[in-house]
């Protein structure tokens, strides 16, 4: 297997000597050279070499910063640091920054080849004499790092676990034990997906399998878990793959956050929303029943009374003794006729009888004629020929929604034409209201505290989620499309 290297040293003679030494191995190829840190970072990003040999004393960027920048630009690259200084703090900082080896420049020609072999074997190499300087500090740093991790692991308010890539628990935190109701001994070597709710277990196991196959580096999901006592708990699961020095040593860090309270709040909100939607629909139906009662009273009582008055006035006119009296009676009959027309128009506006007598499509066509007469708006209604056995409540709510959309087009969109499509597709009733008007910015539909909002489109959207069922136990009208 060919190995690609990038040499970074400000001295051409040193670069040439290193190149000659490295290229004695036919499997090693020096792909580029650099004399400053910024060029090294750019070449590492562009060439993505297997290894960078870096003189950390390059002047334009500090050695530790250069190391971090190079490894950030090319994460798969390994780095061997060169320096004339043997300061243990420098060595420790370079190792913490990600360097895989530290060589003194006065020993580089003796140490570079063995260092190369160890680095490729995922081990750390230090020039002789350096190890004793840094070993104590490095061990103390590791202990301190482990102590901090152990503190987080033991006292974090959320569950933490170390697993293999199949989801088998290797180490668990007390918080995770408390969440699942098991002891650490009981959880050891158990599959985490086993504790998932049956409806979530297969998905969780499949995600871990994708981790093992290298198809993903991590995942997040809300998951349900069954405690030892049988109770159900919700957890937000975060899984990330981690690698240790040995490339084959791959594990997963698992974090499980208890989100029971959040899920309970979300469920309460959904319940309240459903109740409010049902209440809004019931209010609309109550309003429609009251409108229909008023329309019926207006037609049956006031309308009939006015019609009877007009007949009586006609009889009186025939017996009028003078032309002046007959003319006055004609004026009164004309006023009564106008009152009859107004009451009839008001009856239709309150609750069109055609909606109950002939159905939704006919009522929409009537309202289209009304809009054309009142606003000069051309309305095209396009019903299909399929039978639509709508329940009474369904018909009322749908007519209210379509009427609201058509009125919006007439009043606000400056439209000249409106099309209403009403069709049945299997168990769904689809209604589309389109116009050639100005349209609306979607941002205006978002909630805002800085400006008032209209409730027309909002009420249509909310009521469309609570449309009742078909008549005679037919399937539910599950979908309404509106524009």
């Amino acid at each position: 297997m060919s190995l690609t290297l990038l040499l970074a040293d400000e001295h051409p003679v040193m670069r040439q000597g290193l190149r000659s030494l490295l290229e004695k191995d036919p499997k090693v190829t020096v792909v580029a050279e650099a004399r400053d840190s910024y060029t090294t970072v750019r070449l590492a990003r562009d060439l993505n070499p297997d290894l960078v040999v870096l003189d950390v004393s390059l002047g334009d960027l500090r050695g530790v910063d250069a190391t971090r920048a190079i490894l950030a630009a090319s994460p798969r690259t390994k780095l061997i640091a060169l320096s004339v200084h043997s300061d243990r703090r420098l060595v420790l900082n370079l190792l913490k920054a990600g360097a895989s080896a530290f060589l003194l420049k006065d020993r580089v020609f003796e140490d570079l080849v063995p260092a190369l072999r160890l680095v490729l074997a995922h081990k750390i190499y230090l020039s002789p004499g350096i190890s004793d300087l840094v070993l104590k500090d490095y061990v103390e740093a590791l202990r301190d790092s482990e102590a901090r991790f152990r503190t987080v692991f033991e006292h974090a308010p959320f569950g933490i676990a170390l697993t293999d890539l199949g989801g088998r628990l290797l180490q668990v935190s007390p918080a995770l034990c408390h969440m699942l109701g098991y002891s650490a001994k009981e959880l050891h070597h158990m599959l985490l997906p086993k504790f998932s709710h049956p409806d979530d277990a297969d998905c969780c196991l499949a995600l871990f399998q994708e981790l093992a196959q290298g198809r993903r580096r991590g995942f997040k999901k809300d998951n349900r878990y069954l405690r030892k006592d049988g109770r159900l708990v919700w957890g937000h699961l975060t899984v990330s793959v981690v690698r240790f020095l040995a490339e084959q040593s791959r594990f997963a860090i698992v974090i499980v956050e208890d989100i029971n309270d959040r899920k309970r709040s979300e469920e309460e909100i959904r319940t309240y929303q459903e109740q409010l939607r049902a209440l809004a629909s019931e209010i609309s139906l109550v309003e429609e029943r009251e409108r229909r009662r008023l329309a019926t009273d207006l037609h049956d009582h006031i309308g009939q009374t006015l019609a009877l008055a007009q007949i009586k006035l006609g009889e009186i006119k025939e017996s009028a003794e003078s032309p002046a009296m007959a003319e006055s009676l004609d004026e009164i009959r004309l006023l009564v006729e106008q009152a009859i027309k107004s009451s009839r128009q008001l009856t239709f506006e309150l609750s069109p009888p055609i909606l109950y007598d002939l159905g939704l499509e006919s009522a929409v066509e009537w309202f289209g004629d009304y809009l054309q007469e009142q606003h000069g708006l051309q309305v095209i209604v396009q019903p299909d020929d399929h039978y639509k056995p709508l329940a009474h409540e369904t018909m009322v709510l749908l007519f209210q929604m379509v009427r609201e959309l058509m009125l919006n087009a007439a009043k606000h969109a400056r439209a000249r034409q409106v099309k209403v499509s009403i069709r049945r597709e299997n168990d769904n009733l689809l209604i589309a209201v389109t116009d050639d008007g100005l349209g609306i910015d979607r941002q205006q539909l978002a909630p805002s505290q800085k400006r008032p909002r209209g409730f027309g489109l909002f009420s249509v959207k909310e009521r469309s989620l609570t449309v009742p069922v078909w008549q005679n136990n037919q399937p539910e009208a599950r979908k309404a499309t509106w524009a």
Side-chain angles (χ1 to χ4, degrees):
M1 181 180 67
S2 178
L3 181 70
T4 57
L5 284 93
L6 170 61
L7 295 178
D9 194 294
E10 64 180 342
H11 301 293
V13 175
M14 177 61 75
R15 295 198 304 271
Q16 182 60 41
L18 293 175
R19 175 188 281 269
S20 299
L21 174 66
L22 292 167
E23 290 186 341
K24 289 180 179 179
D25 187 339
K27 296 181 180 180
V28 176
T29 302
V30 177
V31 293
E33 298 179 10
R35 58 177 301 173
D36 59 73
S37 298
Y38 292 112
T39 302
T40 306
V41 173
R42 178 178 57 80
L43 290 173
R45 182 181 62 248
D46 296 342
L47 300 176
N48 197 25
D50 298 308
L51 193 138
V52 172
V53 178
L54 171 71
D55 180 359
V56 297
S57 63
L58 295 180
D60 55 340
L61 194 63
R62 290 195 313 160
V64 174
D65 294 333
T67 299
R68 291 196 182 100
I70 292 167
L71 297 180
S74 181
R76 66 174 290 274
T77 297
K78 297 184 180 298
L79 185 140
I80 295 177
L82 310 180
S83 177
V84 296
H85 302 291
S86 59
D87 183 80
R88 69 176 186 275
R89 289 170 299 181
L90 173 63
V91 180
L92 282 172
N93 288 332
L94 286 169
L95 293 175
K96 290 178 181 179
S100 298
F102 181 88
L103 308 183
L104 291 172
K105 293 192 73 172
D106 58 3
R107 290 187 51 86
V108 66
F109 290 99
E110 293 86 356
D111 294 345
L112 183 56
V113 173
L116 189 63
R117 295 194 186 100
L118 287 178
V119 167
L120 293 178
H122 311 290
K123 297 181 180 180
I124 300 294
Y125 182 90
L126 300 176
S127 283
I130 298 295
S131 300
D132 294 338
L133 291 175
V134 302
L135 182 59
K136 183 178 179 180
D137 289 343
Y138 196 58
V139 169
E140 289 179 356
L142 288 175
R143 287 176 178 171
D144 183 59
S145 177
E146 182 181 0
R148 287 196 299 268
F149 174 78
R150 178 60 56 187
T151 299
V152 173
F153 191 85
E154 295 291 339
H155 301 288
F158 44 80
I160 305 176
L162 180 68
T163 75
D164 63 19
L165 294 190
R168 193 174 301 277
L169 294 165
L170 305 177
Q171 193 170 2
V172 293
S173 71
L176 185 60
C177 293
H178 177 74
M179 181 178 176
L180 296 178
Y182 291 87
S183 67
K185 185 177 180 180
E186 290 174 316
L187 292 176
H188 187 61
H189 274 245
M190 297 294 290
L191 283 173
L192 181 62
K194 178 183 177 181
F195 300 98
S196 297
H197 186 277
D199 292 342
D200 297 337
D202 290 342
C203 177
C204 188
L205 184 60
L207 290 171
F208 270 105
Q209 289 173 348
E210 291 181 9
L211 288 182
Q213 296 166 2
R215 294 165 55 190
R216 62 169 65 238
R217 295 185 59 83
F219 63 87
K220 296 181 180 181
K221 73 183 297 287
D222 289 348
N223 214 47
R224 291 167 292 179
Y225 295 96
L226 292 174
R227 287 173 45 89
K228 186 177 181 179
D229 58 13
R231 288 193 294 120
L232 184 71
V233 293
W234 276 96
H236 180 68
L237 177 65
T238 302
V239 181
S240 300
V241 174
V242 293
R243 288 181 173 84
F244 293 106
L245 292 178
E247 186 68 22
Q248 66 272 17
S249 301
R250 296 192 301 165
F251 300 90
I253 289 290
V254 174
I255 297 176
V256 185
E257 180 185 1
D258 188 333
I259 57 172
N260 260 337
D261 291 341
R262 192 189 82 188
K263 286 295 183 179
R264 190 179 300 112
S265 299
E266 290 175 355
E267 184 61 32
E268 290 176 356
I269 291 173
R270 279 194 294 269
T271 301
Y272 291 149
Q273 287 175 335
E274 293 299 327
Q275 292 174 345
L276 289 174
R277 290 190 183 108
L279 179 60
S281 296
E282 183 60 29
I283 290 174
S284 296
L285 293 173
V286 170
E287 178 187 3
E288 177 59 27
R289 286 194 288 268
E290 186 63 19
R291 283 172 171 267
R292 191 177 185 190
R293 186 187 66 80
L294 290 174
T296 300
D297 290 345
L298 187 61
H299 177 268
D300 293 347
H301 300 291
I302 298 176
Q304 297 296 337
T305 301
L306 288 173
L308 183 59
Q310 189 178 42
I311 293 172
K312 293 294 184 182
L313 287 172
E315 293 175 354
I316 295 173
K317 176 186 174 183
E318 292 179 357
S319 60
E321 298 179 353
S322 65
M325 180 180 292
E327 184 178 350
S328 297
L329 289 172
D330 282 337
E331 292 176 358
I332 296 173
R333 289 187 66 194
L334 181 60
L335 291 174
V336 172
E337 183 178 353
Q338 291 175 349
I340 292 173
K341 290 181 179 180
S342 296
S343 67
R344 186 179 297 116
Q345 183 65 36
L346 185 57
T347 297
F348 271 82
E349 291 179 3
L350 282 172
S351 180
I354 195 172
L355 176 63
Y356 303 94
D357 296 338
L358 299 180
L360 178 64
E361 290 98 331
S362 297
V364 172
E365 289 175 347
W366 164 81
F367 191 69
D369 293 338
Y370 169 77
L371 287 181
Q372 188 164 350
E373 179 182 343
Q374 296 294 320
H375 299 277
L377 184 67
Q378 182 185 8
V379 179
I380 301 174
V381 181
Q382 300 171 322
D384 61 13
D385 297 328
H386 294 295
Y387 177 55
K388 305 178 186 67
L390 296 174
H392 170 77
E393 293 84 357
T394 304
M395 188 168 57
V396 170
L397 290 175
L398 290 177
F399 179 73
Q400 289 177 345
M401 288 188 283
V402 174
R403 179 173 60 187
E404 182 70 33
L405 294 172
M406 295 170 71
L407 280 173
N408 275 348
K411 293 180 178 179
H412 306 300
R414 302 180 190 175
R416 293 173 297 177
Q417 184 184 85
V418 173
K419 291 183 179 180
V420 183
S421 170
I422 305 173
R423 66 184 189 275
R424 178 176 179 175
E425 292 185 2
N426 298 323
D427 295 335
N428 297 320
L429 181 66
L430 288 84
I431 302 176
V433 180
T434 59
D435 64 73
D436 60 355
L438 298 176
I440 185 171
D441 187 346
R442 288 187 177 272
Q443 293 182 353
Q444 297 180 21
L445 299 177
S448 174
Q449 299 178 353
K450 299 181 180 180
R451 51 176 168 75
R453 293 184 61 212
F455 290 95
L457 293 179
F458 173 78
S459 65
V460 169
K461 184 176 181 180
E462 289 299 301
R463 281 183 287 182
S464 68
L465 299 175
T466 55
V467 173
V469 297
W470 297 96
Q471 193 178 26
N472 299 328
N473 297 321
Q474 292 295 315
E476 182 181 359
R478 300 187 184 93
K479 182 177 181 182
T481 301
W482 52 280

